[in-house]
Amino acid sequence: MPHELILDGLDGSNPLSFFAALGVLRVLSEAPNRSATPRLYWQNEGVWRPVLQIEHTHDELVAVLT
């Protein structure tokens, strides 16, 4: 079951944050033992925030990224 995780520390209007969100998506896309393709979309919360649709829980996401 996919989880949605808002990356609320990243502001999509900032180019560095935009590329950081894409980097997270790339790392997750290349992670071993992945059964579903992670997806990224943007949600307007006053500023544009990246939202990940992933199969990992928050703790598993941190483990994959580190």
Side-chain angles (χ1 to χ4, degrees):
M1 177 175 165
H3 301 278
E4 289 194 350
L5 177 64
I6 299 173
L7 302 178
D8 57 0
L10 300 177
D11 177 355
S13 66
N14 179 331
L16 186 58
S17 294
F18 176 79
F19 285 119
L22 294 180
V24 169
L25 181 63
R26 180 175 179 183
V27 168
L28 292 175
S29 295
E30 296 176 353
N33 302 324
R34 158 179 79 78
S35 61
T37 301
R39 298 184 184 274
L40 177 72
Y41 69 93
W42 300 86
Q43 181 173 312
N44 190 350
E45 297 185 343
V47 295
W48 288 98
R49 301 284 184 205
V51 181
L52 287 171
Q53 289 182 337
I54 54 174
E55 61 189 14
H56 304 289
T57 64
H58 181 269
D59 292 335
E60 292 170 341
L61 174 65
V62 170
V64 169
L65 293 174
T66 56

